[in-house]
Amino acid sequence: MTMNAQGRPTAAFAGESAGGEETVTGNRGLRIEEPLIFEQDSPGMTGVDLPAVPDAPLRLGTVRPRGRIGLPGLAEPQVVRHYTRLSQKNYAIDTGLYPLGSCTMKHNPRLNEKMARLPGFADLHPLQPQATVQGALELMDTLAHWLKTLTGMPAVTLAPAAGAHGEMCGMMAIRAALEHRGEGGRTRVLVPESAHGTNPATAAALGFTVDPVPGAPDGRVDAAALKAKLGSDVAGIMLTNPNTCGLFERDIRSIADAVHEAGAYFYCDGANFNAIVGRVRPADLGIDAMHINLHKTFSTPHGGGGPGSGPVVFSESLAPFVPVPFVVHGPDGLRLVEHAGGPDAGTAFGRMKAFHGQMGMFVRALAYILSHGADGLWQASGDAVLNANYVMARLGDVMTPSFDGPCMHECLFDDRFLKGTGVTTLDIAKALIDEGFHPMTMYFPLVVHGALLIEPTETESRAGLDQFVDTLRALAERARAGDAAAWFQAAPRLTPRRRLDETTAARKPVLRWKEGEGRAGP
Amino acid sequence: MRYLPLTEADRRAMLDAIGVRSVDDLFRDVPDAARRSGPVEGLPDHMGELEVERALGAMAAKNVPAGSVPSFLGGGAYRHHIPAAVDHLIQRGEFLTAYTPYQPEISQGTLQVLFEFQTQVALLTGMDVANASMYDGATACAEAVMMANRLTRRRKAILSGGLHPHYRDTTTTDARFIGFETVVLPPAPTGGEDIAALVDDGTACVVVQNPDVFGHVRDYTELADLCRARGALLIVVVTEAVSLGLLTPPGDMGADIVAAEGQSLGNPTGFGGPYVGLFAVKDKYVRQMPGRLCGQTVDADGRRGFVLTLSTREQHIRREKATSNICTNSGLCALAFSIHLSLLGEDGFRHLARLNHARAVRLADRLAGVPGVAVLNDAFFNEFTVRLTKPAAAVVDTLAGRGVLAGVPVSRLFAGEHEDLLLVAATETTTDSDMDALANGLAEVLR
């Protein structure tokens, strides 16, 4: 496989008109053109009625009260309509299959939302006296118990705000542990080429030197090459398992042994824990730290880009090196330890964010975990893997799987099946959009050319998978029938917007609306 | 199991199509020693909705919601009234269950929201441009310092003693591991500090907060001028976004970067998260910004549309050369912020800020009349510091037992320092009878 060094193309841009009937408004039936909220200003209007402010002198010292801000005024009906119309321009897991490999778009149960909104959770202040939040600490402690038991690891921190933040936390713990044993000179971190971009970004941000490890022909990391790179200057490795090709790293235990023998730590990127949750305990694989994306494995909503939550589980050797705050059991019940360096904080290394972690996400994740139970999680990971293998089996003859199966929760294809057609991975993705599907992950991982990474998740029905597969088969066959490049390049045609000019957006950034500059475009 | 649509017949047929006998065969790459033959022991089996509601409801019932009693808690998280439309709209599945908008043709809703959010944040802070959100105010603060290091090619940050200690600790934790110097001033609950004297030509940035953690409001215009003269950047932190409806914004004072907490708009205090970090800068710094950015462009038919842009700063493209490792941010919390602010509008937001200030002024005057209480602030927004004649933590615990959440003991934030100080906040939700309850409670406890 050749390395796909170009990443995702951004300028593919077709000029063919979408055609169709012109309308007076520019709207098309249910598809409404919605101006920016700033273009709907009704000066003086507000959507919130507040009591009058008593006429008393301000107590602002030397600071002047500010002048006009420039916000638009709208009544509540206008605001509700604005955001409702905008919502209708989004694809979502609620509206259809979302096979975005490595991102894990599974159903988001509404029970989770209901539980997170209980005033006993949502209306707690983070700095209330701890006697008044014992139930909240119990929830954190219960979630921690599940995460530790499911992973087999002795410790967990709930502090990190997202997966990448969890990586940062895990690698900080490794650094802290190394410094504690007087080996702060270990500065090299081994990262496979197939890793998520966050892995090298995290290691580099912490001042580690990133040493890439090549892949083997079977889609796994080259274990021999990895072991050969180990040495007394290696702090650790960052390995995703199952990996970003959707494959289980078969040699993981021997890798772990070699890493430990070299005095280094094994960080596992747990983004794909959903493939094995309830079936494989990471502790049994020999890892020292792993973050868990609650939004991937435990169904908290992605919300158009967060919030996430990235608890990190630790082995015995790293367990003392966690950030504050954390929950401990004391004589008067549960208690938060909030200050690193304090009498009860041990070797806690510092703080990752303002308060105790993403509590709202903890409630949602625990609602999901309790709903599934140990038996349901076993079934969920089994179904996730079954669905991915089913998709791989049904597409294997018309598309080109990059590696032999079985895969885990996602299946990887490359663009060899498009060779000579003039059609690209991007074009297939855009054609899928017209068919009512969100595309798969494109051009990632970088270790195969024109990657198409499909993750159906366990919450899709067989009929839904069949429709998706049939669609993709038809598109692949159309591409291979020849003379289809122009048709594909004009897709999507049926969306609120057609292909967008990302090149100009980056070259001449317009990152905000400005008063008086009017609208760009019609 | 209600979330799993496959029937046993489906599973059988699919296994046949794949050509394996069982699901377990699909896990054959897992080493035998790690492959379990059944669910993890020691954990309960699945539950129906009713049972989950009971289990979690029982935990929730052990807590005292701040809104159920008179509450004066602030210290970086503020309880405001959230209009009903906000929570309704953010629960629309098209917003709630969408991913990061990687496919712009079918994500224009989220993208236009982000573009509007960025504009709102820029307007509030008085800055040129803002990103599409950070995890929270503290991480925004730490990222701002690292951005200043990159821009100035210097590696020393001076942190005001008025900076929220959790923001300070988040920043110094990064400093320890990432390798830059921090000079941390001691807390100054009663007055100013001479931060200007410390700024030298090795200083990358100065981090101050407005209002500061003790509630003092400050004009940083002179400090901004001094920083500029010495080639250092001024980072202004704001933990109470509603204050931006009344105070001169950081941009007008000459801030280079603003790192703020947006929780106050649209988001419940929620025991600490998720919140939404705001991050705004001057135009010339935009390419060194961390986090996602949404930009305006046109589609193939020439119509206005929006995309994620300048992604060559980001980890998925730049990998080890990225400006930050941030991937997911706080999209849904940013949406809640944006909807709340849209509902308020110019007049409503300014009115809300004045109302908060007026409530706090009233509370300060009320408490100043209580024997044993001294108000330290001459100037404040909606939070101020009082000195008590007894240790604040014990007073707070006693009053909590009587159904009043009296505020945040300074010793809780500063690990045992200033035991006699208490932070007290008032918002539009604070009633006159709440104030009576606090004043009477303090009078009794301090007697």
Side-chain angles (χ1 to χ4, degrees):
Chain A
M1 289 302 147
T2 50
M3 180 84 181
N4 171 20
Q6 89 277 14
R8 176 188 157 181
T10 55
F13 202 64
E16 180 194 309
S17 167
E21 295 292 321
E22 293 297 319
T23 58
V24 176
T25 53
N27 301 336
R28 288 172 181 267
L30 290 178
R31 199 189 304 155
I32 308 286
E33 288 294 306
E34 181 63 12
L36 291 171
I37 198 142
F38 303 96
E39 294 158 351
Q40 303 180 48
D41 183 18
S42 180
M45 183 56 70
T46 179
V48 178
D49 293 323
L50 293 164
V53 180
D55 194 20
L58 298 174
R59 222 167 282 178
L60 300 179
T62 57
V63 175
R64 285 171 293 112
R66 76 180 296 172
R68 186 171 176 273
I69 302 166
L71 298 169
L74 294 87
E76 179 180 304
Q78 299 167 285
V79 174
V80 169
R81 192 169 284 167
H82 176 69
Y83 288 100
T84 302
R85 286 176 169 182
L86 289 185
S87 77
Q88 291 173 330
K89 299 175 196 293
N90 270 3
Y91 196 93
I93 188 64
D94 275 5
T95 63
L97 187 111
Y98 216 126
L100 203 54
S102 199
C103 298
T104 315
M105 291 298 286
K106 65 170 72 171
H107 172 63
N108 300 149
R110 289 313 194 275
L111 175 62
N112 303 358
E113 297 304 309
K114 185 177 178 185
M115 293 298 95
R117 285 168 172 78
L118 292 174
F121 296 132
D123 195 16
L124 297 183
H125 190 283
L127 298 172
Q128 281 182 223
Q130 298 200 12
T132 66
V133 293
Q134 286 294 303
L137 299 180
E138 181 185 338
L139 184 132
M140 292 170 73
D141 196 51
T142 306
L143 178 64
H145 175 72
W146 274 90
L147 297 180
K148 287 188 288 187
T149 309
L150 289 169
T151 57
M153 305 285 274
V156 63
T157 172
L158 301 179
H165 207 218
E167 285 177 31
M168 188 69 89
C169 175
M171 295 306 288
M172 284 177 173
I174 287 174
R175 168 70 70 76
L178 286 170
E179 286 173 1
H180 188 74
R181 57 181 226 222
E183 295 188 52
R186 290 176 177 263
T187 55
R188 198 151 54 90
V189 171
L190 310 184
V191 183
E193 284 174 347
S194 63
H196 294 115
T198 49
N199 294 174
T202 299
L206 292 175
F208 290 115
T209 307
V210 176
D211 188 353
V213 183
D218 68 352
R220 275 82 177 177
V221 68
D222 184 335
L226 188 153
K227 289 171 189 172
K229 283 176 179 285
L230 288 169
S232 60
D233 65 331
V234 172
I237 66 165
M238 298 182 81
L239 186 69
T240 308
N241 189 42
N243 70 21
T244 61
C245 301
L247 302 170
F248 198 91
E249 293 284 355
R250 284 185 291 244
D251 295 326
I252 187 163
R253 285 182 56 110
S254 76
I255 290 172
D257 290 344
V259 166
H260 292 147
E261 205 162 301
Y265 292 101
F266 183 170
Y267 186 86
C268 182
D269 180 330
N272 296 335
F273 185 50
N274 58 303
I276 58 173
V277 61
R279 288 177 175 262
V280 179
R281 300 187 314 165
D284 297 332
L285 303 172
I287 69 159
D288 293 302
M290 182 183 88
H291 75 265
I292 299 168
N293 303 75
L294 293 187
H295 52 300
K296 293 184 182 186
T297 301
F298 299 121
S299 83
T300 68
H302 287 65
S309 181
V312 184
V313 290
F314 291 109
S315 64
E316 211 63 72
S317 60
L318 290 180
F321 306 98
V322 294
V324 293
F326 50 83
V327 178
V328 295
H329 292 254
D332 303 324
L334 298 166
R335 193 165 53 83
L336 272 172
V337 174
E338 295 181 288
H339 295 284
D344 44 8
T347 48
F349 68 67
R351 177 177 275 278
M352 302 284 304
K353 68 193 288 286
F355 296 110
H356 325 315
Q358 308 280 61
M359 179 66 176
M361 299 295 121
F362 303 159
V363 181
R364 289 172 176 86
L366 189 59
Y368 173 88
I369 287 172
L370 294 179
S371 293
H372 271 294
D375 56 334
L377 291 172
W378 166 273
Q379 189 68 59
S381 51
D383 283 358
V385 170
L386 178 63
N387 281 354
N389 277 281
Y390 180 68
V391 168
M392 186 168 168
R394 286 215 52 210
L395 291 173
D397 58 328
V398 291
M399 290 168 59
T400 37
S402 299
F403 305 105
D404 291 337
C407 63
M408 299 304 288
H409 61 299
E410 57 193 352
C411 53
L412 177 62
F413 299 88
D414 52 51
D415 62 3
R416 281 173 297 163
F417 74 104
L418 295 171
K419 193 164 185 181
T421 63
V423 178
T424 64
T425 291
L426 182 73
D427 299 331
I428 294 285
K430 298 301 185 192
L432 264 179
I433 290 175
D434 273 340
E435 298 289 348
F437 291 104
H438 196 283
M440 65 291 282
T441 291
M442 316 175 297
Y443 302 100
F444 180 85
L446 306 178
V447 291
V448 302
H449 198 272
L452 304 97
L453 185 64
I454 300 174
E455 178 174 8
T457 82
E458 70 277 11
T459 58
E460 293 303 325
S461 69
R462 184 179 165 211
L465 293 179
D466 280 334
Q467 190 193 32
F468 172 69
V469 165
D470 291 341
T471 306
L472 207 41
R473 290 185 68 88
L475 291 175
E477 280 160 8
R478 180 162 190 168
R480 282 157 66 147
D483 212 17
W487 183 84
F488 271 98
Q489 283 157 14
R493 297 170 178 79
L494 308 174
T495 42
R497 286 293 178 272
R498 298 182 62 225
R499 289 197 201 194
L500 289 129
D501 186 350
E502 298 184 21
T503 306
T504 303
R507 198 170 291 151
K508 296 179 195 160
V510 178
L511 305 175
R512 62 173 284 192
W513 172 86
K514 278 196 180 136
E515 196 162 11
E517 291 193 359
R519 299 189 53 163
Chain B
M1 212 291 141
R2 61 188 180 277
Y3 305 145
L4 302 176
L6 295 185
T7 65
E8 272 310 313
D10 288 332
R11 294 189 182 108
R12 189 70 260 151
M14 292 165 74
L15 288 168
D16 289 345
I18 297 164
V20 295
R21 295 217 324 274
S22 70
V23 168
D24 201 42
D25 287 347
L26 299 173
F27 285 84
R28 63 178 178 243
D29 289 331
V30 179
D32 288 342
R35 195 168 60 195
R36 307 184 60 80
S37 56
V40 177
E41 295 88 9
L43 296 171
D45 280 346
H46 65 276
M47 290 184 191
E49 275 207 18
L50 181 59
E51 288 73 36
V52 175
E53 286 190 23
R54 278 190 190 131
L56 294 180
M59 291 184 203
K62 293 176 188 170
N63 303 317
V64 179
S68 68
V69 293
S71 171
F72 302 88
L73 293 156
Y78 301 88
R79 187 171 185 280
H80 292 281
H81 179 257
I82 302 172
V86 173
D87 201 43
H88 164 74
L89 289 166
I90 69 167
Q91 286 195 78
R92 284 192 65 93
E94 303 94 324
F95 284 134
L96 182 75
T97 75
Y99 199 71
T100 304
Y102 287 140
Q103 297 288 343
E105 299 91 339
I106 47 174
S107 310
Q108 285 299 301
T110 291
L111 286 161
Q112 184 168 330
V113 165
L114 293 180
F115 187 78
E116 293 176 356
F117 171 81
Q118 289 172 186
T119 307
Q120 287 171 326
V121 173
L123 288 169
L124 254 55
T125 54
M127 302 298 283
D128 295 327
V129 57
N131 77 5
S133 80
M134 308 296 284
Y135 302 135
D136 70 0
T139 56
C141 173
E143 289 275 2
V145 170
M146 290 185 275
M147 178 176 163
N149 291 342
R150 290 194 296 275
L151 283 165
T152 59
R153 297 173 192 279
R154 301 174 182 179
R155 302 196 68 77
K156 183 170 76 183
I158 300 173
L159 310 183
S160 161
L163 179 64
H164 193 295
H166 293 178
Y167 288 48
R168 177 199 68 195
D169 292 351
T170 302
T171 306
T172 55
T173 298
D174 276 344
R176 169 183 167 187
F177 291 104
I178 289 165
F180 56 90
E181 187 187 346
T182 51
V183 177
V184 179
L185 275 72
T190 51
E193 59 193 1
D194 192 9
I195 206 164
L198 298 171
V199 183
D200 59 25
D201 55 14
T203 304
C205 61
V206 173
V207 185
V208 294
Q209 181 175 318
N210 202 33
D212 75 11
V213 69
F214 300 103
H216 302 287
V217 294
R218 303 195 185 283
D219 186 343
Y220 292 114
T221 308
E222 281 182 25
L223 182 60
D225 292 341
L226 182 126
C227 286
R228 197 173 307 113
R230 297 191 186 159
L233 302 187
L234 180 67
I235 297 170
V236 176
V237 165
V238 179
T239 62
E240 168 50 297
V242 173
S243 71
L244 296 168
L246 178 58
L247 306 181
T248 301
D252 289 9
M253 294 182 184
D256 294 287
I257 306 174
V258 177
E261 174 54 65
Q263 170 270 324
S264 284
L265 289 168
N267 291 279
T269 50
F271 204 49
Y275 289 175
V276 49
L278 314 180
F279 197 100
V281 302
K282 291 180 175 167
D283 254 336
K284 59 184 172 184
Y285 301 141
V286 71
R287 284 174 197 273
Q288 280 299 327
M289 257 184 140
R292 296 258 147 88
L293 282 166
C294 173
Q296 178 179 299
T297 186
V298 293
D299 79 348
D301 293 333
R303 294 176 298 177
R304 176 171 68 181
F306 304 93
V307 293
L308 291 180
T309 192
L310 300 181
S311 53
T312 48
R313 301 163 298 117
E314 292 190 63
Q315 46 78 25
H316 61 284
I317 306 288
R318 291 283 278 174
R319 299 176 76 82
E320 69 269 18
K321 295 189 182 65
T323 54
S324 160
N325 85 334
I326 194 168
C327 179
T328 291
N329 48 34
S330 290
L332 201 68
C333 301
L335 174 66
F337 173 100
S338 210
I339 296 170
H340 192 177
L341 193 54
S342 295
L343 282 163
L344 287 164
E346 174 82 16
D347 288 16
F349 183 56
R350 295 164 65 92
H351 187 134
L352 177 67
R354 292 237 172 198
L355 188 56
N356 270 258
H357 184 58
R359 299 309 296 162
V361 167
R362 187 179 174 87
L363 178 63
D365 288 346
R366 184 85 170 77
L367 295 185
V370 175
V373 178
V375 176
L376 300 191
N377 304 55
D378 297 324
F380 53 90
F381 172 62
N382 68 352
E383 185 171 26
F384 52 87
T385 305
V386 293
R387 175 165 281 134
L388 307 179
T389 50
K390 291 184 178 172
V395 170
V396 165
D397 286 344
T398 304
L399 288 180
R402 299 182 189 182
V404 176
L405 298 174
V408 180
V410 168
S411 62
R412 179 163 179 185
L413 293 175
F414 284 96
E417 292 181 66
H418 298 290
E419 286 185 343
D420 56 344
L421 300 185
L422 178 68
L423 300 181
V424 184
T427 71
E428 77 283 2
T429 66
T430 310
T431 64
D432 287 351
S433 76
D434 290 345
M435 295 186 197
D436 290 342
L438 178 62
N440 295 336
L442 284 173
E444 281 175 36
V445 174
L446 295 173
R447 189 163 49 205

